[in-house]
Amino acid sequence: MAMIEILVIVAAAAVSVLGAVLFLAHAFKDYRAPLCNTDSPFSFLFNGNVLVHSTPGSLELVQHDDDATDWSMLRDGVLARFPEFPIEPPNTAGETIDIDPFDPKDDGILRIQSFGEHARVELVRTSHEELSQSSHELHTANAKFERLERICEASPYPIWQTDKSGDVVWSNDAYAQLSEKVLEQKDGSDGRRSILDLQPTDNTTRRARASVALKDLQTPSWYDVTATPQPDGVIHHATNIDAVIRAEIAQRNFVQTLAKTFAQLSIGLAIFDRNGQLALFNPALVDLSGLPAVFLSTRPDLLTFFDRLRDNRVMPEPKNYSSWRQEIANVIKAATNGTYQETWSLDSGQTFRVSGRPHPDGAVAFLLEDISAEVSLTRNFRAELELGQSLLDTFQDGLVVFSSAGILTFCNRSYCEFWGVDPEATFVDISINDSVKTWSAECQPNPAWGDIREFVMKIGDRATWDTWIERKNGVKIFVTVAPIASGATVVRFDSRAPLDKSALDEHEKVHE
């Protein structure tokens, strides 16, 4: 091979190798540039979110999980000192971000530099103070302490700590304001002592209510205090519960008012809770059921309660005792649905109305009412009505009564037979207009029908009057219209009255 050709090949190879070396050097420079700064004891290199390099001792400063080596790990470790640390690394090449610390007295700055896909995070200083791991740990601890102190001071609830002798060694603003109000009421009091003393007797957390007297309140102010033992004393947290106390007092007063009201009721009341146990009863229940108050005070369940009622013969004896429990279960179920209501007729002659009503939270109430007098009155009234009806049915004259509103309320058997009607067979009310139509259809035309209609509907003073009418078969009927009690009117039809020609002529002249 010619020497010239050899020289050309060697020169070309040298140029190619030189180009490759320069390219790799440039690329390696871009990658290693973030690793070159080892002056900071706190330096990390990330490729995206993945940690690829850190200076010795850096990971120990952020108190990380051994398996966590990503951006979120670093953020969790520095967030207490640098709360504005970004959630994601920057993705703009050449960008530099300086993050200020939480504590204004801290002169450290956390700097984030972006190199394409890589980002370097390092701690730098603006003063001449030397960087060290202990310095970072101290500033982180100070930032956490200041943040916790701000949280405690901003809390609207009193927080304080006492030593083993009970003296207050630290407190927040809410406790200081409360203590100042309390000490105004106690001349010569030692402000070092806790105003809401709650010292645990052992090493367990204790919680109790405590009250303090304030100058601007007529009643004490109540707090729910929690005391947590610590090696150097006790930490106290207090929450104002004045609203809870007022609600409890209002509830207690309301329950007392209900109890007094129930005590005056003549109806027996038994309320069972969601577990089926007697929760409340009134004296009337004792009187009506005959159950001893001592027994009711033991809070029997529903089945025991009904068993004792049956034993006292206060409820009807079941026909089939084997199905007694099932019947009681059906009673309880019906009461829970609000559909239970029965009338118990006892062998003693008493009659009870028993009702079951559901109450909130699964409770159920039973009402026991003695309606013996009401039932007796109803029976007597019904017997009197039947007697009166039987008496009027013996009259041969047709009698019909209309109320002040013109509604037919009563008639005897003769009236029904006379006019061929049965008011009991219809479901609608029969008015005076309906009756006049029935009468006039069976009789000769007569202006008396309009007079009767107006008389029945008239309000005010009225006087009895009579007239003659004639049926189409020629039978003359003597009609008497008279007012009775409560504005009602009675109309009497008599076909057996002797015909008085003068009275008939006089009546016809009046209408002419």
Side-chain angles (χ1 to χ4, degrees):
M1 182 179 294
M3 181 62 65
I4 295 177
E5 292 179 353
I6 295 175
L7 292 176
V8 172
I9 293 174
V10 170
V15 172
S16 299
V17 171
L18 180 61
V21 169
L22 292 176
F23 175 79
L24 292 175
H26 179 72
F28 184 72
K29 180 180 179 181
D30 290 343
Y31 177 79
R32 293 192 59 192
L35 300 178
C36 294
N37 187 5
T38 59
D39 296 335
S40 173
F42 188 91
S43 181
F44 298 86
L45 178 67
F46 287 86
N47 182 5
N49 286 321
V50 180
L51 178 66
V52 295
H53 182 265
S54 65
T55 54
S58 297
L59 291 176
E60 286 74 10
L61 294 178
V62 295
Q63 300 179 355
H64 72 293
D65 186 355
D66 293 339
D67 297 332
T69 57
D70 57 3
W71 184 270
S72 61
M73 171 272 301
L74 177 61
R75 185 174 186 272
D76 294 339
V78 302
L79 201 61
R81 186 178 177 186
F82 301 95
E84 297 182 358
F85 192 85
I87 299 178
E88 298 288 341
N91 53 11
T92 303
E95 182 181 6
T96 299
I97 302 175
D98 289 342
I99 302 175
D100 296 327
F102 174 79
D103 187 1
K105 299 178 181 178
D106 185 357
D107 57 357
I109 294 178
L110 198 62
R111 178 167 295 166
I112 304 176
Q113 294 176 294
S114 177
F115 300 91
E117 296 180 354
H118 298 82
R120 184 176 65 194
V121 181
E122 62 179 345
L123 181 65
V124 297
R125 292 252 186 206
T126 57
S127 66
H128 63 279
E129 184 177 349
E130 182 180 357
L131 292 169
S132 64
Q133 293 183 356
S134 60
S135 175
H136 171 69
E137 293 176 347
L138 177 61
H139 284 296
T140 300
N142 289 338
K144 291 182 178 180
F145 174 77
E146 185 175 352
R147 180 176 284 103
L148 290 176
E149 187 175 18
R150 289 185 182 181
I151 293 174
C152 293
E153 292 296 342
S155 173
Y157 308 108
I159 304 174
W160 70 100
Q161 182 177 2
T162 57
D163 56 20
K164 295 182 179 180
S165 62
D167 292 337
V168 178
V169 295
W170 178 87
S171 64
N172 66 348
D173 289 342
Y175 175 85
Q177 295 174 6
L178 178 63
S179 178
E180 183 179 353
K181 294 180 180 180
V182 172
L183 294 179
E184 290 180 358
Q185 300 291 95
K186 302 178 180 179
D187 297 335
S189 299
D190 187 359
R192 295 177 302 173
R193 302 298 298 179
S194 174
I195 59 174
L196 295 169
D197 192 14
L198 189 64
Q199 295 293 336
T201 56
D202 50 22
N203 292 327
T204 59
T205 300
R206 182 184 175 191
R207 182 175 179 178
R209 290 180 175 181
S211 63
V212 293
L214 302 180
K215 183 178 181 180
D216 53 348
L217 295 178
Q218 297 180 354
T219 58
S221 184
W222 285 87
Y223 287 85
D224 190 354
V225 184
T226 302
T228 306
Q230 299 294 325
D232 56 346
V234 181
I235 296 178
H236 301 265
H237 296 79
T239 304
N240 186 274
I241 56 172
D242 287 343
V244 176
I245 296 297
R246 288 193 296 268
E248 290 178 352
I249 294 175
Q251 182 183 23
R252 185 163 54 250
N253 293 337
F254 179 70
V255 172
Q256 291 176 355
T257 302
L258 287 180
K260 293 178 181 179
T261 303
F262 293 155
Q264 303 299 324
L265 290 177
S266 60
I267 301 176
L269 174 67
I271 298 179
F272 295 85
D273 59 21
R274 63 187 306 175
N275 298 321
Q277 290 185 310
L278 184 62
L280 179 66
F281 66 93
N282 65 343
L285 182 67
V286 179
D287 298 335
L288 295 176
S289 65
L291 300 179
V294 176
F295 166 73
L296 297 176
S297 300
T298 60
R299 302 187 62 193
D301 57 23
L302 278 162
L303 292 177
T304 304
F305 175 78
F306 280 104
D307 276 341
R308 289 295 296 268
L309 287 180
R310 182 186 58 81
D311 294 339
N312 282 15
R313 308 178 77 82
V314 181
M315 65 182 307
E317 184 71 21
K319 297 180 180 180
N320 186 0
Y321 187 76
S322 60
S323 62
W324 166 249
R325 294 283 173 160
Q326 183 60 40
E327 291 180 9
I328 294 300
N330 294 337
V331 168
I332 298 172
K333 182 178 179 181
T336 304
N337 297 331
T339 58
Y340 179 73
Q341 183 169 343
E342 285 189 0
T343 300
W344 292 351
S345 298
L346 308 182
D347 296 338
S348 61
Q350 288 181 296
T351 305
F352 288 159
R353 179 189 292 124
V354 184
S355 304
R357 295 291 182 268
H359 272 235
D361 199 24
V364 61
F366 283 93
L367 303 176
L368 187 66
E369 182 180 2
D370 187 357
I371 59 172
S372 302
E374 178 183 341
V375 171
S376 177
L377 180 62
T378 302
R379 290 173 179 172
N380 293 336
F381 181 70
R382 185 180 297 113
E384 291 179 359
L385 288 179
E386 292 177 355
L387 179 61
Q389 180 71 46
S390 300
L391 178 62
L392 293 177
D393 284 343
T394 62
F395 292 176
Q396 296 183 4
D397 296 342
L399 298 176
V400 61
V401 177
F402 294 93
S403 67
S404 59
I407 302 300
L408 190 152
T409 58
F410 175 81
C411 65
N412 64 354
R413 185 185 300 110
S414 296
Y415 172 84
C416 297
E417 294 175 352
F418 193 81
W419 294 107
V421 295
D422 186 7
E424 298 294 334
T426 179
F427 293 100
V428 297
D429 293 332
I430 299 177
S431 65
I432 181 62
N433 293 328
D434 299 330
S435 299
V436 168
K437 290 180 180 179
T438 301
W439 303 336
S440 60
E442 299 291 332
C443 299
Q444 298 293 339
N446 195 317
W449 302 127
D451 296 339
I452 295 175
R453 184 189 302 110
E454 293 177 0
F455 187 88
V456 169
M457 302 301 297
K458 182 179 179 181
I459 299 176
D461 296 336
R462 298 178 300 171
T464 302
W465 60 280
D466 52 53
T467 185
W468 287 90
I469 61 174
E470 182 180 355
R471 300 194 68 167
K472 290 183 178 180
N473 57 7
V475 177
K476 302 290 184 178
I477 302 174
F478 186 71
V479 182
T480 304
V481 185
I484 57 176
S486 301
T489 304
V490 59
V491 182
R492 176 181 177 184
F493 299 92
D494 185 4
S495 61
R496 299 173 298 103
L499 184 60
D500 187 349
K501 293 293 185 179
S502 61
L504 181 58
D505 294 340
E506 182 67 23
H507 174 73
E508 292 177 353
K509 290 179 180 180
V510 171
H511 287 286
E512 289 177 358

